[in-house]
Amino acid sequence: MRISKPLSVVLAACAAVTLGAAAAPAADSPGSRTVRETAEAKAAPAAQLLGIGRRVTPRIDTGVYSGPGLSTPRVGTAWAGDNVAAICQTRDSVGNRMLLAIERPGRTGVQWANTAGYVFDPDIRETDTGNLPSCDGYGQGLRTIETGLYSGPGLSTPRIGTSWAGDDVAGICKINDNLGNRMVLGIERPGRTGVQWANTAGYIWGGHIRTNTNSLSDCGTA
């Protein structure tokens, strides 16, 4: 004998199937995790560097140098995997590419955040750094009194050179120290024979700069 199920039971079963399908969509449906995450990944902007330059990544721990060459004083380290801002490129005396860069995070008790200097390009993971602008002629001309060049954005960071009054100095970017004083990353182009390498880079206290630096790019943050 055939027994038919009551209509109410049939409707309840259909509703359960419908709700179950909505709660657990198939892997390739528009509401699934796979499709949704793919769409979000396409829609999300790439991580942007906060400040001047282009983000590059050291493939190994490498030196940060005050001048564009491995014979110049080493002022810090760019650690493998760190966020490093490459600003411009130049060549050392034997033709190796050096990048003027900012090592953003630093290391507590070891190195100040935003330590700046030149990095040896072969130690950088990216292979297209030849597209960076040339450091020659880069930046805004500055007039300074004789003043210090510092490895980091603050007068408590190591002094690594001098910017002499009347010299050709290029302002690269601006940043405030922890007291709110403006510091400007600059390149002291001529240097002094036997004293300081040409194109030594470091931060200059804004109070010793006679040029308006408001239009300079922000150096950025870690």
PDB file of all heavy atoms in Angstrom, residues 2-16:
ATOM      1  N   ARG A   2       0.639   2.196  -0.829  1.00  0.00           N
ATOM      2  CA  ARG A   2       1.410   3.422  -0.930  1.00  0.00           C
ATOM      3  C   ARG A   2       0.904   4.451   0.068  1.00  0.00           C
ATOM      4  O   ARG A   2      -0.273   4.731   0.124  1.00  0.00           O
ATOM      5  CB  ARG A   2       1.304   3.978  -2.355  1.00  0.00           C
ATOM      6  CG  ARG A   2       2.128   5.228  -2.550  1.00  0.00           C
ATOM      7  CD  ARG A   2       1.988   5.703  -3.987  1.00  0.00           C
ATOM      8  NE  ARG A   2       2.773   6.894  -4.208  1.00  0.00           N
ATOM      9  CZ  ARG A   2       2.782   7.576  -5.360  1.00  0.00           C
ATOM     10  NH1 ARG A   2       2.043   7.151  -6.374  1.00  0.00           N
ATOM     11  NH2 ARG A   2       3.535   8.646  -5.475  1.00  0.00           N
ATOM     12  N   ILE A   3       1.895   5.019   0.846  1.00  0.00           N
ATOM     13  CA  ILE A   3       1.511   6.028   1.838  1.00  0.00           C
ATOM     14  C   ILE A   3       2.147   7.347   1.434  1.00  0.00           C
ATOM     15  O   ILE A   3       3.363   7.444   1.282  1.00  0.00           O
ATOM     16  CB  ILE A   3       1.973   5.634   3.245  1.00  0.00           C
ATOM     17  CG1 ILE A   3       1.344   4.292   3.644  1.00  0.00           C
ATOM     18  CG2 ILE A   3       1.648   6.722   4.257  1.00  0.00           C
ATOM     19  CD1 ILE A   3       1.806   3.774   4.971  1.00  0.00           C
ATOM     20  N   SER A   4       1.376   8.356   1.206  1.00  0.00           N
ATOM     21  CA  SER A   4       1.881   9.691   0.830  1.00  0.00           C
ATOM     22  C   SER A   4       2.249  10.474   2.080  1.00  0.00           C
ATOM     23  O   SER A   4       1.552  10.416   3.090  1.00  0.00           O
ATOM     24  CB  SER A   4       0.819  10.460   0.037  1.00  0.00           C
ATOM     25  OG  SER A   4       0.512   9.753  -1.152  1.00  0.00           O
ATOM     26  N   LYS A   5       3.371  11.205   2.021  1.00  0.00           N
ATOM     27  CA  LYS A   5       3.752  12.071   3.135  1.00  0.00           C
ATOM     28  C   LYS A   5       2.875  13.306   3.158  1.00  0.00           C
ATOM     29  O   LYS A   5       2.512  13.826   2.104  1.00  0.00           O
ATOM     30  CB  LYS A   5       5.205  12.521   2.997  1.00  0.00           C
ATOM     31  CG  LYS A   5       6.197  11.376   3.120  1.00  0.00           C
ATOM     32  CD  LYS A   5       7.614  11.915   3.013  1.00  0.00           C
ATOM     33  CE  LYS A   5       8.625  10.785   3.136  1.00  0.00           C
ATOM     34  NZ  LYS A   5      10.003  11.262   3.012  1.00  0.00           N
ATOM     35  N   PRO A   6       2.570  13.775   4.357  1.00  0.00           N
ATOM     36  CA  PRO A   6       1.767  15.017   4.444  1.00  0.00           C
ATOM     37  C   PRO A   6       2.499  16.161   3.771  1.00  0.00           C
ATOM     38  O   PRO A   6       3.715  16.222   3.754  1.00  0.00           O
ATOM     39  CB  PRO A   6       1.636  15.247   5.952  1.00  0.00           C
ATOM     40  CG  PRO A   6       1.916  13.933   6.589  1.00  0.00           C
ATOM     41  CD  PRO A   6       2.846  13.202   5.683  1.00  0.00           C
ATOM     42  N   LEU A   7       1.739  17.072   3.193  1.00  0.00           N
ATOM     43  CA  LEU A   7       2.301  18.227   2.496  1.00  0.00           C
ATOM     44  C   LEU A   7       3.205  19.049   3.395  1.00  0.00           C
ATOM     45  O   LEU A   7       4.243  19.560   2.970  1.00  0.00           O
ATOM     46  CB  LEU A   7       1.163  19.114   1.963  1.00  0.00           C
ATOM     47  CG  LEU A   7       1.601  20.358   1.176  1.00  0.00           C
ATOM     48  CD1 LEU A   7       2.447  19.951  -0.034  1.00  0.00           C
ATOM     49  CD2 LEU A   7       0.379  21.151   0.740  1.00  0.00           C
ATOM     50  N   SER A   8       2.893  19.171   4.679  1.00  0.00           N
ATOM     51  CA  SER A   8       3.698  19.973   5.601  1.00  0.00           C
ATOM     52  C   SER A   8       5.093  19.388   5.760  1.00  0.00           C
ATOM     53  O   SER A   8       6.084  20.115   5.882  1.00  0.00           O
ATOM     54  CB  SER A   8       3.007  20.074   6.968  1.00  0.00           C
ATOM     55  OG  SER A   8       2.838  18.773   7.517  1.00  0.00           O
ATOM     56  N   VAL A   9       5.211  18.071   5.764  1.00  0.00           N
ATOM     57  CA  VAL A   9       6.522  17.426   5.898  1.00  0.00           C
ATOM     58  C   VAL A   9       7.360  17.688   4.661  1.00  0.00           C
ATOM     59  O   VAL A   9       8.558  17.962   4.731  1.00  0.00           O
ATOM     60  CB  VAL A   9       6.344  15.908   6.124  1.00  0.00           C
ATOM     61  CG1 VAL A   9       7.710  15.209   6.119  1.00  0.00           C
ATOM     62  CG2 VAL A   9       5.622  15.651   7.438  1.00  0.00           C
ATOM     63  N   VAL A  10       6.755  17.607   3.497  1.00  0.00           N
ATOM     64  CA  VAL A  10       7.458  17.859   2.242  1.00  0.00           C
ATOM     65  C   VAL A  10       7.982  19.288   2.200  1.00  0.00           C
ATOM     66  O   VAL A  10       9.134  19.553   1.839  1.00  0.00           O
ATOM     67  CB  VAL A  10       6.551  17.583   1.037  1.00  0.00           C
ATOM     68  CG1 VAL A  10       7.245  17.982  -0.261  1.00  0.00           C
ATOM     69  CG2 VAL A  10       6.152  16.120   1.005  1.00  0.00           C
ATOM     70  N   LEU A  11       7.146  20.256   2.576  1.00  0.00           N
ATOM     71  CA  LEU A  11       7.547  21.654   2.561  1.00  0.00           C
ATOM     72  C   LEU A  11       8.698  21.905   3.540  1.00  0.00           C
ATOM     73  O   LEU A  11       9.633  22.659   3.255  1.00  0.00           O
ATOM     74  CB  LEU A  11       6.364  22.565   2.913  1.00  0.00           C
ATOM     75  CG  LEU A  11       5.251  22.614   1.856  1.00  0.00           C
ATOM     76  CD1 LEU A  11       4.074  23.438   2.371  1.00  0.00           C
ATOM     77  CD2 LEU A  11       5.765  23.203   0.554  1.00  0.00           C
ATOM     78  N   ALA A  12       8.638  21.278   4.714  1.00  0.00           N
ATOM     79  CA  ALA A  12       9.702  21.461   5.704  1.00  0.00           C
ATOM     80  C   ALA A  12      11.022  20.913   5.198  1.00  0.00           C
ATOM     81  O   ALA A  12      12.082  21.508   5.381  1.00  0.00           O
ATOM     82  CB  ALA A  12       9.314  20.768   7.017  1.00  0.00           C
ATOM     83  N   ALA A  13      10.952  19.773   4.527  1.00  0.00           N
ATOM     84  CA  ALA A  13      12.166  19.185   3.981  1.00  0.00           C
ATOM     85  C   ALA A  13      12.775  20.071   2.907  1.00  0.00           C
ATOM     86  O   ALA A  13      13.991  20.261   2.838  1.00  0.00           O
ATOM     87  CB  ALA A  13      11.861  17.785   3.418  1.00  0.00           C
ATOM     88  N   CYS A  14      11.946  20.637   2.036  1.00  0.00           N
ATOM     89  CA  CYS A  14      12.434  21.550   0.990  1.00  0.00           C
ATOM     90  C   CYS A  14      13.097  22.785   1.601  1.00  0.00           C
ATOM     91  O   CYS A  14      14.134  23.259   1.122  1.00  0.00           O
ATOM     92  CB  CYS A  14      11.292  21.967   0.069  1.00  0.00           C
ATOM     93  SG  CYS A  14      10.675  20.597  -0.940  1.00  0.00           S
ATOM     94  N   ALA A  15      12.476  23.321   2.648  1.00  0.00           N
ATOM     95  CA  ALA A  15      13.023  24.513   3.295  1.00  0.00           C
ATOM     96  C   ALA A  15      14.374  24.217   3.909  1.00  0.00           C
ATOM     97  O   ALA A  15      15.294  25.030   3.846  1.00  0.00           O
ATOM     98  CB  ALA A  15      12.052  25.016   4.378  1.00  0.00           C
ATOM     99  N   ALA A  16      14.542  23.029   4.500  1.00  0.00           N
ATOM    100  CA  ALA A  16      15.826  22.661   5.106  1.00  0.00           C
ATOM    101  C   ALA A  16      16.918  22.565   4.063  1.00  0.00           C
ATOM    102  O   ALA A  16      18.053  22.998   4.275  1.00  0.00           O
ATOM    103  CB  ALA A  16      15.677  21.320   5.843  1.00  0.00           C
TER     104      ALA A  16
END
